[in-house]
Every structure is written in structure tokens, then in C-alpha cells.
Amino acid sequence: MAWALVSAIKDQLSSFIASEFLSIANFKGEVQKLESKFHTIQAMLNDAEKRQVKEEAVKLWLDKLKDVSYQMDDVLDEWNTAMIKAEIEKQQKDDAEKAETSSAAKKRKVWPLISVPTLLQHRDIAHKIKELNEKLDEIDREGEVYTFALTRGNEEVERPRTTSFVDVSEILGRDKVRDDLVSILLGKGSEEVRNPHVISLVGMGGIGKTTLAQLAYNDDEVKAHFEIKVWVCVSDPFNQGKVAKEIFESIKFQSPNMTTLHSETKIFESIESQSPNMTALQTLLEAICKEVEGKKFFLVLDDVWTEGSTMWEPFRLALKYAAQGSRILVTTRKSRVAEMMGSVSIINLEVLSKEDCWLVFSKIAFFDRDPKQREQLEDLGTQIVEKCKGLPLAAKTLGSLMQFKRSREEWKSILDNNFWEFEDVERSLYAPLLLSYYDLSSPLRRCFSFCAVFPKDYVFSSDELVFMWMSQGYIKPKANMEIEIIAREYFENLAIRSFFQEFEKDEDDDQIIRCKMHDIVHDFAQLISKNECFTINSDMDLGVDYKNARHLWLKIPKDIQFLESICSAKNLHTLIFVLEGGYNLFTLSQHFRCLRVLTLYCGYHSMLMGLPDAVGNFIHLRYLYLVNYYGDALPETICNLCNLQILHIKFAGGLLKLPQGMDKLINLRHFKLDCKTYRDPNINFPRGFGRLTSLRTLKYFHINGEDDRCKLGELRNLDHLKGTLQINGLENVVDQCEATNAQLKKKINLRTLKLLFHPNKWDFEEITRGMDALVLNALEPPPNLEDLSIRYYKGPTMSPWMVSLTNLKNLNFEYLFIEHFPPLGKLPVLESLRIERINRLKKLGVEFMGIEESEKKEKDDISITLFPNLIFLEIYELIEWEEWNGIGGEEEEEEEDCTRRFTIMPRLQHLSIRSCPKLKSLPNFLRTTPLQHLEIQNCQILEERYKRGTGEEWPKISHIPNIMIGYKYVQRDSREYKIDSYLKTNLK
């Protein structure tokens, strides 16, 4: 980790030497001397970092070096910030001169200009660099004592190979144990001794307890056997309030009819501290008891450490009224825990046999290898497997490491490494982790060790991690490559090497979106980052010196204002603060001026009502994340954060305006506004927003209606935007030219676009309808768009560009006043179409399908497919809709000929029609689709005509396996559906 830090400082110093500043300041020699020393010291670091594991003196020497390096980083960043502000000031002056020629522009408020770096700042920087030079001299002299081997470190991060991920989700070597566990859970061949029946999985860390429990929890038979299933990760210490809350919330999620507790928010608020309110705990346990009474209940308590029965007893009493056959499965490293919890069955997990351990290792290590190469390496592989000592986590970690080693020499160096000398059985897992860690490039080591700041069992968001690594400066830039893409490759590299697990993937692109870290890997990360990363999860003063702390997770109870002990952590680069009460946030700006990352997380029972003006003092800040923000505005001083790259706000609907000076945030790359209410937000954006040309993420943009307003044209130069963009307030666009200025077509990396006119302005005069049509025509999206939504549009027709979106997969229309649809059947990859509240539409016919009149009359044998990939079709609340003609043949012969020539919706699986009271019938072509689910609700004419058995049109839909008419199923799995007979059949 020290190598990467020193390397980053060395690169900055090189840039600093070449900067204009040193031509003004009179200390170029000092900086060159400093760069030379860092270069010399860097050569020692590869050896020093490995020796620190066993040599405490070396570790202390490295800690001193890292401290000076961090200080140097702050000094250089301070100067870079001053230079950025000077550039902003110059730009503002130029704009002010141009604005003088326009009387309208004079009305705009001009914010105070930021001062140019002064001579005093020059001297201050020079003085700090001279002091650091002296400190580095001393560190250099001390380093000579250790006679470090001089080597070059690995700074290059390889791009992960697309075939590198190996699916190790199935468990190897535990088949019998798994089958036995499932049998016990299902109660096969056993008599109930006490209820609920407690089973414990006992074994050392890394032996596979949690993996085995997960397999049993997700077993299909087990799922069907229990009415309620709950998984809680307990860890150390056993927090009764947290465990009770998680059980309650999981039950509530599975039981929609469960009665809400009186004062539920206050109960949660008082129960989550280390010493929970016992009355609140009792209320929660009583609610749990009431809900599980008489039901088969399955609870997993993962990673239990506490041996005291008093912590467990209230839960045992609350759960004893569950139905006979209920189960509690406990995973623990301690036999005494299993005994304390009254386990009827105890399964002691032994280490894997050599054969099974080899299977785990070889499946990963030899993945996608040439058989000949495998044969050459197998003898070394078997020796490496012996060092795994039968631990699945060790075998998996080493297999992931060896997957990247191609030669016998590389395998031999791993086998002969002195890290294998750890003797402690539990800590023996650190040997494979150390080998994998030191095989990482130096930037990846920093990224991994940073994860130690998060609490154990934390669910990581891959985006959150990537953004934080970027903000810390851990990502080494590459020419012509987005830094986010490089950072994503870092994450995938760590995932491939088994530093993360329990992946949740995006359904569309299969990318990991969330994951966890094994508790032993987390312990290892904390060991590596000792004295730098801290997690405080209580109000107790732990007697720790935080002077060298750089990253802190802080959660303290509501009634505590602040912990005095952390005020010494003045050099923090990361603060993740979980607020449970009304803290004076001004305190943060007094103590933590060096922050790069700041997260303020309010639970649902707390509210972040605003930020103090002092937030502008965080001049180094790159990442600001506000969760449950209830303020109506952000302070204007936030615009002083010229280094800010990520601004993410989850708010509860009260945010009304953004700061006027946001155009000064010239380094902002991701601006995410997530509204937690159902209503669309109405936030005033400032003029000049379009100067933020570094933006990659802008999920939401609003066009104001005031005179001095933010226009749609502000989007013109934001051509780097990616992902999703929602534009609100399109009714405020005054002419087609303004819409054209947005240049949406150039934003080729957008994938989802939502266009919203105003829901409350139902002005149906032709001038308004015509303006809506002109605006929509001018907002032609980029050709790669995959998802489009249009709402509250009052134009009479849809824009012709619609059918040119050949990559469109999802299309959503809501609250429109069009009178006919464009030929959507021509969209080649459209999978989902939702049409809702099109108030003037009376007919869907050939124009909707995309059939030209000339095509209908042709007699050739050319087959045309319409809606070739449509799977989901939902049509809701078309109150004037009367006809759906399909192909549109007027006579039976013509209809048959058209059916032969046109294939319509050949992949349709789901059709839902609701609240269309005038619709008379469904089109005939539905008989030729593979429709699996038909839903007709609140459509009086259709419900009568398609009534099961007696409706005149029933034969046309009877082939569809699942049919719901009038809010109830009439056919399931191609059989008549009567609830009693269906339940009996499926419960057998």
C-alpha cells in the first residue's frame, strides 16, 4: 500500500516541477530534492511491505513514511485547488465582461470572485515542503538500518480476462453434510424434542459454514416446507436490538397483511443502540411471537459469537410458539455457543479431504488452460493444496491466484514463499491471502485495503466503491480510457481473485452490482490497514489513538453529540457518518479539513435538514453522498468544492432548488438526485449548469418556467452523459429552437431517456398542442437508446424519429393525447411496450403494426414479421379505445392471406389489458402467438365476451395457459382454476 501512495506522490511532484508555480516561486531545488528522495525510498518499499508482516520495526518505519506521504498529498492538493479556483475566477471575469453588453444578463446575480493564489500562499506551500523534506531525510536515514533489497514494484493493473470468472457457487466435498442438513431441516426420520429445533454448524473460519447454510436455505424443498424464512447475520457483539429488528422486518416483508406496530419508527430508533430500550425490545419480540405463532418458521443466525445465554433467552421464548417443525440454524466457530443455544443437532464441519480440496483449487486454477500445461503444473498444484490444510476459503483464494500464473517458476515461487510460516491455525488463512495480496499491483492493494473501513458483513455497492476509489486518487489513469472504466476493471480484478463473494448481478449486462466480503478476508484487510482504517459502532471510548487515521466509519447513538477521542483524527480522508440524531455538522468542518470522501447517512427515523455553510471548507472533497436529505436547498458554499467529482443526494421530496454557483463545480462527473417519493421532483436548476462538461451521470434535469431560467439548451455540451436521463418541465420550453439546442442525438452513451411534460397543465388549445409536437420532434434521441418513456405529452401525433430507434427494448407511454400511434411494429428489438391513459385513442390498427397499405395488397410469398421481439404488452386506461383490428383484413379470405404473409408478435408471453371499457374484442392474430399469460381487468365488454366456457369469444383465447379475468384467475396451467382444487393439487 505504501508503494502506491509514494508512487502517486512522485507523479504529482513531477507535474509540480513542470508547473508555472515553480517558475514564480523560488524553491524548485527543494521540490526536485523531495522527488529524488521519494524515488530512492520507493525502491525499498517492495521488500519493506513484505517484511512488515513479521517485523514490527519495519511496520513503524512504513507508518512514518505513509504519514509524510499523506501530508505531501494534502499540500500538493491544496496548491492544485488554488490553481483551479484561479482558473474559475478568470472564466468568471471573461463572462462578466461579455454580460455587460446584455441588459437581461445584468439581472443575473454575480457571485463573489475567488482570489488568485497569493504570495502568502506561495510562501506557505514552500514552508510546508521544506518541513516535509526534513522529515523525509530522517526517514531515509532510518531506512538504511534495515538494508532493504532494492526492487521495482508492480504498478500495472492487468485488464481482467472475460473468461476469468469461474462459477464456484456449488459446494464441493460437502454433499453428504448438505443432504443430512436438509433432512434435519425437513424433519425426516426424527422426533421433535423441543420447539423450535436448533441446529448448529460448528467449525473454524473459512471452512464453509455460511456457504453450507446458504445452500440449505435456498434449497427448493426447504423453501416450500416453511411458511416464513429469515436470515440474520449476527456477528460480534450480539446486538439484541439489531437482530430483533432484522427478524421483524424480514417477517413483515413476507407477510403483507401484518399489522404495523404503533410508533414503529420510535421503537426502531430506541432499539438500535448498543444498550437497547428493553421495553421497545419486548414490544418487538411480542410482535414477532404473534406473527410466527402456529406457522412453520425457519431462522438462520449466521456467525454467532456470544456465549452468554441471557442475550439469546428472549428470542427463544418469543419463537417457541411457532408451529411444530420450525427450525433455527446457527453457524458459529465456538462449540460453547452451540451448547448455550440448546442445539438438538450439532454438525461439526471438518476440513476437506485432500481430494475435495484439490477439486476446489483445480477448478479455478486450471480454468481455461491447455491440458498439456495443466499436466506440467499438477505436481506443484498438489503441494500447494496441501498447504491449504483442507480449508475451502484457502483453496479458493489460492486457485484464484494461480489462475494468473502461467509458468512453473511462478508456481514454484508461491510454493516456496515464507508467508507459509504462520503457525496459528485460525491465522493460517492469512498466508494464502498475503500471497494473493502481494501479487496485486500497488493500486489494487490500496483499493482492497480501503474496504477495511466498512463494517463486517457490509453489502458493498460496486458503484459506491468505484467512486470512492476514484475520489481517493487510487486509479491510475490511461490514455483514451474513462477513469470509471479503469476503476471498474480494478473491482473485477479483486472479485476474480476471490476478495469478494456473494455477488448480485445486473440482469441486463451481468455486471456485479452488489457483493460482500468474507469475514476472514475483512479481518485480513483490517490487519493490512491497521492504524489507517477504523470502524466505530458505539458510544464507547475505545482508548485508541486516531492521529494517523485516514478512513473512518462512524455510528454513534442519538443522545451522543460527538466522541472527543476522534477529534485527533485531523487528517481523515474518508468519513462515513451514520447519523441517528441531530448532530451539529459544523463540528465536522472544524476537525476534518482533509476529507476526500464524505457520506452522511440518516436512517429512516432521522432527518438531515440541511448542511452548514462550513461545508465549503472541505476544499479537498471529491465525493459527497447525502442519504435522507430533507432540506429544501443546498448551501451556496458547496460551490467552493471545485474538486468535487461525485455529488449524490437521496432526498425525500423537499429539495426545491440548486445553488446558483454550480457552474463552478467544473470537475463534477456524477450528479445523482434520487427522490424517495412517488411524485416527480420539481427542482430549480441554475443558469450556467451547461458548463459542467465533465458530467457523465445526470439522472434528472428540470427546465424552469421563470424569466431568468435554466433552459433546455444547457444540455447542449454535456455530450459525455451516460446511462439514464430524465428531463422534467418540457412544457416550459418556449420554442423548437431551444429544444434543438439540447442536441440529445449527440449523447450517444445514453441508454434510458424519460421525457416529461407537466401533468397539471392540460391546455388543449391548438397552439399548446402544436408546441408540444414541435418540442418532441426536436428532441430526437441518440440511436443507441434502449429505454424510452414519454409522459403528459399533449401533441396530436408522435414524432417520426420514433421508428428510427432500432436498439429500443422498452417503450412506455403515459397520459398522452395522440390520436393514432406510429408504426411501432417495425422496431426490431422492442421487448416491452406499456401504453397507459391515451385519452383520445379510439383504434389500434395496421398503422400501429407497421403494415403499409401497399404491403397488404401484394400477393408475393415474402413473409414480414411485426413486433418480432415483443414479450410484454400492457395497455391500461384507454377510456375511448374501441377497436383493435390487428392485420385489418375486411373479408375472411383477405384476413387469411394477410395472416399467411405477416407474422405478428412471435415472442409475446404476457398481455395485460385494464380499464378499457369500450374495447369490443381482441385481434385474431393472438391465436398464433405463444402467449402464456392474459390478464383482462375492468373491461366490461371483454369480460363478458371472453367469459370462460360461456363467452362467445372464449374459444379464441382458451389455448392460453394462464388467464385472469376480472381480478381472478379462471385458468391456470391450461386447466380450469378453482382455488380449493388448485391448492390441493399443488400441496400434494
Side-chain angles (χ1 to χ4, degrees):
M1 197 165 102
W3 177 286
L5 178 57
V6 169
S7 177
I9 300 300
K10 196 161 63 71
D11 290 345
Q12 288 185 65
L13 284 169
S14 299
S15 301
F16 196 51
I17 289 169
S19 74
E20 184 183 343
F21 171 61
L22 286 190
S23 65
I24 303 169
N26 193 23
F27 61 99
K28 189 170 185 176
E30 283 287 332
V31 180
Q32 287 176 328
K33 182 181 171 187
L34 194 62
E35 185 199 27
S36 176
K37 280 179 195 162
F38 271 116
H39 187 79
T40 303
I41 288 173
Q42 190 180 28
M44 309 177 191
L45 291 182
N46 210 29
D47 186 32
E49 287 199 316
K50 292 179 180 178
R51 283 171 57 178
Q52 69 167 323
V53 178
K54 294 186 175 182
E55 298 179 43
E56 185 64 24
V58 173
K59 178 166 177 34
L60 292 173
W61 180 81
L62 276 173
D63 287 344
K64 283 184 186 178
L65 175 61
K66 283 190 282 187
D67 188 49
V68 170
S69 300
Y70 275 120
Q71 290 179 51
M72 190 70 243
D73 186 36
D74 291 338
V75 169
L76 294 176
D77 198 57
E78 187 180 328
W79 178 253
N80 285 333
T81 301
M83 296 302 289
I84 292 170
K85 288 187 174 183
E87 183 60 34
I88 293 170
E89 180 188 45
K90 180 177 179 297
Q91 183 64 49
Q92 285 186 319
K93 283 182 177 178
D94 291 344
D95 290 346
E97 288 173 5
K98 292 176 185 176
E100 286 176 5
T101 60
S102 167
S103 58
K106 286 180 182 177
K107 295 179 184 177
R108 185 184 172 202
K109 188 169 181 181
V110 179
W111 295 98
L113 302 180
I114 306 165
S115 60
V116 180
T118 63
L119 183 60
L120 185 63
Q121 283 176 303
H122 290 164
R123 287 176 177 169
D124 184 46
I125 297 284
H127 177 70
K128 288 177 179 176
I129 287 178
K130 188 174 181 181
E131 279 189 344
L132 291 170
N133 236 330
E134 291 169 1
K135 288 182 180 178
L136 206 60
D137 270 337
E138 184 183 343
I139 291 169
D140 193 13
R141 285 193 298 272
E142 288 179 11
E144 292 174 2
V145 175
Y146 302 107
T147 59
F148 293 120
L150 303 182
T151 57
R152 177 174 173 77
N154 174 22
E155 293 188 55
E156 292 302 315
V157 181
E158 291 183 10
R159 296 192 67 175
R161 290 180 288 131
T162 54
T163 56
S164 293
F165 265 116
V166 182
D167 181 12
V168 288
S169 56
E170 73 270 23
I171 196 163
L172 297 169
R174 301 285 193 207
D175 294 347
K176 185 178 185 307
V177 181
R178 180 194 58 206
D179 293 343
D180 289 347
L181 176 57
V182 169
S183 292
I184 296 170
L185 291 173
L186 299 177
K188 294 179 179 177
S190 66
E191 294 184 11
E192 302 296 317
V193 179
R194 62 188 297 183
N195 199 51
H197 184 117
V198 180
I199 308 124
S200 285
L201 290 175
V202 182
M204 70 174 72
I207 205 163
K209 301 181 296 296
T210 300
T211 305
L212 187 58
Q214 286 170 337
L215 281 170
Y217 188 82
N218 293 313
D219 181 86
D220 288 337
E221 278 192 272
V222 170
K223 283 181 181 178
H225 187 73
F226 294 99
E227 295 170 77
I228 299 174
K229 291 166 67 240
V230 176
W231 182 292
V232 178
C233 190
V234 179
S235 291
D236 192 27
F238 191 118
N239 184 321
Q240 287 179 304
K242 173 180 171 288
V243 172
K245 176 174 170 278
E246 288 191 25
I247 294 173
F248 176 83
E249 288 186 326
S250 181
I251 293 173
K252 187 176 180 180
F253 179 77
Q254 297 172 66
S255 309
N257 298 322
M258 185 175 176
T259 306
T260 302
L261 285 176
H262 178 65
S263 302
E264 188 173 295
T265 299
K266 287 186 177 180
I267 290 172
F268 288 164
E269 187 176 317
S270 61
I271 205 170
E272 286 191 306
S273 64
Q274 288 295 314
S275 303
N277 179 295
M278 295 311 294
T279 304
L281 178 63
Q282 189 58 36
T283 302
L284 211 52
L285 289 172
E286 286 173 3
I288 292 169
C289 178
K290 181 179 178 182
E291 194 58 32
V292 302
E293 186 176 357
K295 297 176 183 174
K296 275 195 178 178
F297 177 70
F298 178 29
L299 169 65
V300 177
L301 297 173
D302 185 36
D303 196 25
V304 181
W305 289 76
T306 304
E307 297 177 14
S309 61
T310 53
M311 302 293 282
W312 162 240
E313 187 63 17
F315 292 90
R316 190 187 66 78
L317 294 173
L319 299 172
K320 72 177 184 178
Y321 295 106
Q324 200 72 12
S326 294
R327 297 287 187 268
I328 296 173
L329 177 60
V330 178
T331 73
T332 180
R333 298 187 196 182
K334 299 181 174 183
S335 298
R336 290 185 65 181
V337 170
E339 294 165 7
M340 174 274 295
M341 298 193 80
S343 302
V344 176
S345 306
I346 297 178
I347 300 174
N348 288 294
L349 276 187
E350 303 296 337
V351 295
L352 293 177
S353 67
K354 286 182 182 180
E355 293 77 12
D356 289 329
C357 202
W358 169 256
L359 285 174
V360 175
F361 171 84
S362 61
K363 180 170 184 176
I364 306 171
F366 293 120
F367 176 75
D368 202 29
R369 278 193 199 254
D370 179 84
K372 187 175 180 181
Q373 190 182 39
R374 173 174 178 146
E375 188 179 336
Q376 291 172 346
L377 297 171
E378 275 191 347
D379 61 317
L380 296 175
T382 54
Q383 294 178 65
I384 290 172
V385 165
E386 284 188 21
K387 294 183 178 292
C388 294
K389 300 181 179 177
L391 295 176
L393 180 62
K396 182 181 171 185
T397 303
L398 283 168
S400 300
L401 170 63
M402 303 317 293
Q403 187 183 358
F404 297 91
K405 306 297 179 187
R406 315 308 290 181
S407 68
R408 277 188 69 86
E409 289 73 20
E410 289 176 304
W411 281 55
K412 191 79 166 61
S413 68
I414 296 295
L415 186 61
D416 296 339
N417 197 287
N418 59 11
F419 285 146
W420 295 113
E421 294 171 12
F422 278 113
E423 293 182 5
D424 186 322
V425 176
E426 284 282 346
R427 282 170 59 97
S428 63
L429 263 170
Y430 286 178
L433 288 170
L434 278 165
L435 288 165
S436 288
Y437 174 76
Y438 284 115
D439 190 63
L440 297 173
S441 63
S442 54
L444 281 178
R445 291 183 205 171
R446 295 187 84 185
C447 292
F448 167 72
S449 58
F450 175 79
C451 298
V453 71
F454 296 94
K456 196 171 283 190
D457 301 311
Y458 184 77
V459 179
F460 292 94
S461 157
S462 57
D463 282 346
E464 177 185 37
L465 266 184
V466 160
F467 287 157
M468 287 186 174
W469 292 341
M470 285 168 49
S471 303
Q472 300 290 354
Y474 295 168
I475 312 302
K476 205 171 177 63
K478 295 179 182 177
N480 303 318
M481 197 168 180
E482 292 275 282
I483 195 163
E484 290 84 356
I485 295 174
I486 303 169
R488 183 79 205 184
E489 288 182 354
Y490 283 23
F491 174 80
E492 289 175 2
N493 258 300
L494 292 175
I496 288 167
R497 292 169 181 266
S498 298
F499 287 107
F500 296 115
Q501 61 179 30
E502 295 183 45
F503 303 118
E504 181 184 335
K505 296 188 177 183
D506 187 282
E507 291 181 1
D508 294 328
D509 58 15
D510 206 38
Q511 279 202 332
I512 298 167
I513 53 178
R514 276 177 283 275
C515 62
K516 293 179 78 173
M517 184 176 274
H518 193 285
D519 55 355
I520 289 180
V521 178
H522 184 269
D523 290 343
F524 174 73
Q526 288 188 319
L527 174 73
I528 291 296
S529 59
K530 189 178 180 183
N531 299 329
E532 281 193 42
C533 293
F534 291 91
T535 301
I536 300 177
N537 215 353
S538 73
D539 57 350
M540 294 182 291
D541 193 330
L542 304 175
V544 176
D545 182 5
Y546 297 104
K547 185 176 67 174
N548 292 324
R550 289 301 188 280
H551 311 289
L552 175 65
W553 169 289
L554 178 63
K555 180 180 179 181
I556 49 180
K558 181 181 179 181
D559 50 339
I560 304 294
Q561 268 300 307
F562 220 70
L563 291 178
E564 289 297 323
S565 58
I566 68 166
C567 292
S568 63
K570 295 187 181 299
N571 298 311
L572 276 184
H573 279 201
T574 303
L575 176 60
I576 302 168
F577 191 8
V578 182
L579 292 88
E580 294 193 330
Y583 293 98
N584 180 3
L585 296 176
F586 179 75
T587 311
L588 301 182
S589 64
Q590 286 182 307
H591 295 289
F592 311 125
R593 295 290 185 94
C594 298
L595 286 176
R596 269 67 169 170
V597 170
L598 175 60
T599 294
L600 298 175
Y601 182 91
C602 269
Y604 54 85
H605 52 267
S606 302
M607 291 186 291
L608 184 58
M609 298 305 299
L611 292 176
D613 288 340
V615 71
N617 295 332
F618 296 124
I619 63 168
H620 302 281
L621 201 65
R622 268 81 170 166
Y623 177 101
L624 179 59
Y625 182 22
L626 309 175
V627 183
N628 279 357
Y629 189 76
Y630 278 76
D632 61 1
L634 295 169
E636 197 64 39
T637 53
I638 206 170
C639 302
N640 292 336
L641 306 179
C642 60
N643 288 306
L644 198 65
Q645 296 178 11
I646 296 102
L647 177 57
H648 188 183
I649 306 172
K650 287 188 176 179
F651 62 102
L655 189 62
L656 299 176
K657 64 177 182 177
L658 299 175
Q660 290 297 306
M662 274 193 80
D663 59 344
K664 292 185 285 190
L665 300 178
I666 60 173
N667 287 304
L668 195 65
R669 298 175 70 87
H670 302 277
F671 182 40
K672 300 172 73 173
L673 292 172
D674 293 332
C675 184
K676 295 174 65 178
T677 62
Y678 291 108
R679 292 172 52 212
D680 290 311
N682 186 11
I683 301 170
N684 281 337
F685 275 62
R687 286 184 66 182
F689 190 86
R691 293 196 185 109
L692 305 183
T693 54
S694 295
L695 276 177
R696 269 64 179 168
T697 302
L698 178 63
K699 293 181 70 173
Y700 169 85
F701 182 77
H702 183 78
I703 305 143
N704 303 337
E706 291 78 13
D707 292 337
D708 190 26
R709 63 197 180 89
C710 175
K711 296 183 179 180
L712 186 55
E714 296 280 2
L715 296 174
R716 182 183 184 89
N717 295 318
L718 306 186
D719 290 340
H720 296 297
L721 291 180
K722 298 180 178 182
T724 298
L725 172 62
Q726 175 175 318
I727 304 176
N728 283 30
L730 285 169
E731 76 286 348
N732 293 320
V733 178
V734 296
D735 56 43
Q736 184 178 8
C737 193
E738 182 184 335
T740 303
N741 282 340
Q743 295 288 299
L744 290 187
K745 193 173 183 179
K746 289 185 177 180
K747 293 153 186 48
I748 58 174
N749 294 311
L750 282 180
R751 294 295 176 264
T752 299
L753 180 64
K754 302 177 182 180
L755 302 174
L756 277 69
F757 294 77
H758 200 287
N760 298 325
K761 287 191 176 181
W762 295 115
D763 181 353
F764 302 116
E765 291 190 18
E766 290 305 313
I767 188 168
T768 301
R769 301 194 73 199
M771 181 54 69
D772 274 15
L774 289 173
V775 169
L776 191 63
N777 281 340
L779 290 175
E780 182 175 354
N784 294 327
L785 200 71
E786 295 178 357
D787 195 325
L788 174 65
S789 295
I790 301 175
R791 294 167 65 185
Y792 309 117
Y793 168 69
K794 296 174 282 295
T797 59
M798 196 54 68
S799 297
W801 49 251
M802 185 75 64
V803 293
S804 68
L805 300 176
T806 54
N807 289 300
L808 203 62
K809 293 181 179 179
N810 302 297
L811 186 54
N812 184 15
F813 298 116
E814 292 182 56
Y815 299 91
L816 308 189
F817 276 77
I818 59 173
E819 291 160 12
H820 59 83
F821 270 100
L824 300 180
K826 292 185 175 181
L827 294 173
V829 297
L830 188 68
E831 295 178 357
S832 174
L833 174 61
R834 181 186 175 99
I835 301 170
E836 183 173 355
R837 299 192 185 184
I838 314 296
N839 290 347
R840 296 194 175 188
L841 189 78
K842 292 187 176 182
K843 180 180 177 181
L844 281 181
V846 291
E847 80 290 338
F848 172 65
M849 297 296 170
I851 301 174
E852 305 288 344
E853 197 63 35
S854 59
E855 291 175 331
K856 284 176 60 179
K857 294 176 181 178
E858 290 175 4
K859 297 298 182 181
D860 55 46
D861 294 329
I862 298 174
S863 176
I864 299 173
T865 302
L866 308 168
F867 289 106
N869 283 292
L870 193 68
I871 298 171
F872 297 95
L873 176 58
E874 298 172 313
I875 305 176
Y876 301 155
E877 298 189 55
L878 272 60
I879 57 176
E880 298 297 330
W881 185 30
E882 297 176 359
E883 297 179 47
W884 187 1
N885 287 338
I887 298 171
E890 294 179 5
E891 298 180 7
E892 187 174 340
E893 184 180 338
E894 184 181 353
E895 175 88 13
E896 288 180 6
D897 183 56
C898 286
T899 302
R900 191 165 49 250
R901 293 192 62 248
F902 295 99
T903 301
I904 302 178
M905 303 184 187
R907 296 186 62 205
L908 188 67
Q909 298 284 309
H910 180 103
L911 173 61
S912 179
I913 303 173
R914 298 182 192 172
S915 301
C916 300
K918 295 184 179 181
L919 184 61
K920 298 169 185 172
S921 65
L922 301 177
N924 289 333
F925 73 79
L926 288 178
R927 288 179 291 183
T928 64
T929 67
L931 196 59
Q932 297 296 304
H933 189 106
L934 173 64
E935 183 180 344
I936 300 172
Q937 292 185 18
N938 201 21
C939 304
Q940 293 85 344
I941 298 175
L942 291 186
E943 288 180 27
E944 187 63 33
R945 296 191 70 184
Y946 291 90
K947 192 171 184 179
R948 180 182 172 83
T950 60
E952 58 188 287
E953 300 288 339
W954 169 256
K956 291 184 178 181
I957 65 168
S958 60
H959 65 285
I960 300 170
N962 302 291
I963 302 174
M964 177 183 280
I965 296 180
Y967 300 98
K968 62 182 181 181
Y969 278 102
V970 298
Q971 185 159 291
R972 292 292 295 266
D973 302 326
S974 300
R975 300 196 305 270
E976 183 177 2
Y977 179 77
K978 292 181 180 177
I979 190 163
D980 291 341
S981 61
Y982 185 82
L983 287 173
K984 285 176 184 176
T985 302
N986 284 275
L987 287 174
K988 283 181 181 178

